[in-house]
Amino acid sequence: MQTISGNNYDIFFGAKGYESLATILLPSHYSKIFILVDENTSQYCLPYFLSNLATDIEIEIIELEAGELHKNITTCTEVWGALSELRADRKSIVLNLGGGVISDLGGFVACTFMRGIDFITIPTTLLSMVDAAIGGKNGVDLEHLKNQIGLIREPKAVIIDTQFLSTLPANEMRSGLAEMLKHGLIYDAEHWNKFKNLKTLNTDYLEELIHRSIQIKNEIVLQDIYESNVRKVLNFGHTLGHAIESYFLAKNNETTLLHGEAVAAGMILESFLSKEQKLLSQEDYQEIKYIINELFERISFSNETIATIIDLLHFDKKNTFGEIQFVLLEKIGTATINRNVDKTLIYKAFEDYKC
Ligand code: NAD
Ligand code: ZN
């Protein structure tokens, strides 16, 4: 697979990734390597990763508990402390081996330790390969507010090795798949078409799709690194998706819903809004709804739930001057940003989602 170039870093695939790592990780460049893992990537990914890592530099491992719950400043303080205790200096480098939680937090910790040391991202979930690891956003949550603290800074490199996906649970695979479908819907109809017959994911084919998804995210980011305009298209499905996700997070005794599963529903709902605003054709809408429903289990929403979710939209980070802003589709493969939508239409979208 061909290397993809970000603004100031490269995204390497497979064996080429480990070769590039070996050339980056020379004792003349770095004093010490710190590999950040969580309890799962420590078990499933670290032994394989170490067996592929060719370097003479001393390595230290820092292991965190898994999960979004730990993506906060308290954990950062622990990691900064560990780096300091293990004698990290300004020539040290952090390798983030894990999903989006590890890459977001590890990137942030590296960018702030001693005013910034280098880091490399090695994503191990589908979602982090096609999304979290690409584009230079790093950060942590502030209480229940997601990604409130952070900064944009690119890694030294990103290494994509789809071997890691062999141990990833099916629901986590589906979560990443939602972002890939999104890439097709907002940017590339041909990419979307490839998912039409994809009930079970075949790994060879998957690698190609991952490569294209990364290319799409990267192309969008390159046009607008600081998200002042075009980059916002990546939020398609996420205005309602985030509200749905927050609702089910708060009700954690009920259904547990992964980010991508909430975004999948968000994409159907926001496609409906696009159709009602006379942007998207009826045919395109029906196709989107059909394909997503084939791949994702439908979520059941009571009337009370819908009202709470709609209230949650007021907390969306994209809102400006109190207006809820949506990314809508003009057709499969083309999106438009900063669209206001009437509340009654959002209720109507949920009604339509149910049938
Ligand atoms: P995650 O990092 O929590 O990983 C999901 C689960 O899979 C965890 O339990 C993890 O331990 C486990 N895991 C990871 N790799 C594994 C493997 N190879 N085999 C078995 N288990 C494995 O979550 P995620 O879905 O990867 O990422 C979600 C995070 O990414 C969120 O915090 C979100 O805010 C962030 N994100 C950031 C960006 C960005 O641009 N920076 C974009 C999208 C999402
Ligand atoms: Zn997302």
Side-chain angles (χ1 to χ4, degrees), residues 79-326:
V79 183
W80 287 317
L83 287 171
S84 190
E85 222 164 89
L86 295 165
R87 304 272 181 270
D89 62 23
R90 297 178 66 180
K91 297 293 280 177
S92 298
I93 184 164
V94 177
L95 308 191
N96 295 317
L97 180 67
V101 167
I102 288 290
S103 57
D104 273 17
L105 183 142
F108 178 70
V109 163
C111 291
T112 45
F113 184 77
M114 293 192 170
R115 296 202 188 89
I117 60 173
D118 283 350
F119 67 101
I120 290 176
T121 312
I122 306 106
T124 61
T125 63
L126 184 57
L127 187 130
S128 57
M129 289 180 190
V130 299
D131 198 354
I134 314 300
K137 281 190 186 175
N138 309 294
V140 293
D141 303 335
L142 180 67
E143 304 283 323
H144 62 286
L145 297 173
K146 278 199 68 167
N147 304 325
Q148 286 289 303
I149 309 297
L151 43 85
I152 295 186
R153 209 182 111 189
E154 291 172 325
K156 195 83 191 145
V158 173
I159 316 293
I160 304 290
D161 184 348
T162 51
Q163 280 297 318
F164 290 124
L165 300 177
S166 61
T167 53
L168 196 69
N171 61 340
E172 296 287 355
M173 283 296 279
R174 257 197 310 278
S175 191
L177 178 65
E179 304 290 354
M180 299 174 80
L181 295 171
K182 179 192 78 182
H183 291 143
L185 289 175
I186 60 172
Y187 199 78
D188 181 0
E190 208 180 301
H191 190 50
W192 162 261
N193 286 337
K194 296 200 174 130
F195 292 94
K196 285 188 189 167
N197 294 315
L198 197 79
K199 281 206 182 139
T200 48
L201 290 174
N202 158 315
T203 27
D204 285 348
Y205 194 37
L206 181 65
E207 198 157 316
E208 250 174 67
L209 295 173
I210 290 173
H211 188 272
R212 180 63 191 140
S213 258
I214 293 175
Q215 224 169 25
I216 293 172
K217 172 144 190 203
N218 185 54
E219 274 175 35
I220 295 171
V221 169
L222 283 180
Q223 293 170 49
D224 173 28
I225 292 180
Y226 292 97
E227 200 170 317
S228 25
N229 45 65
V230 189
R231 187 168 179 168
K232 289 187 193 167
V233 293
L234 290 163
N235 292 316
F236 174 64
H238 283 62
T239 305
L240 280 158
H242 275 146
I244 294 167
E245 191 182 7
S246 304
Y247 173 83
F248 284 100
L249 272 180
K251 294 241 157 199
N252 52 8
N253 48 345
E254 271 182 30
T255 333
T256 51
L257 210 57
L258 290 179
H259 173 74
E261 295 169 319
V263 167
M267 291 194 290
I268 296 179
L269 294 161
E270 293 178 17
S271 297
F272 178 86
L273 301 178
S274 311
K275 171 180 78 77
E276 291 292 300
Q277 293 227 337
K278 307 275 180 280
L279 294 164
L280 187 69
S281 71
Q282 171 74 22
E283 299 75 59
D284 276 3
Y285 169 61
Q286 287 305 343
E287 179 177 314
I288 294 167
K289 187 175 175 185
Y290 177 77
I291 300 292
I292 296 180
N293 277 333
E294 284 272 286
L295 296 166
F296 292 82
E297 220 172 285
R298 212 182 293 222
I299 305 167
S300 76
F301 297 107
S302 68
N303 288 342
E304 208 187 333
T305 304
I306 294 168
T308 315
I309 289 171
I310 293 177
D311 275 345
L312 283 170
L313 289 175
H314 296 289
F315 295 102
D316 195 273
K317 266 196 288 192
K318 291 181 299 304
N319 295 349
T320 41
F321 307 112
E323 294 265 22
I324 299 156
Q325 304 257 308
F326 284 89

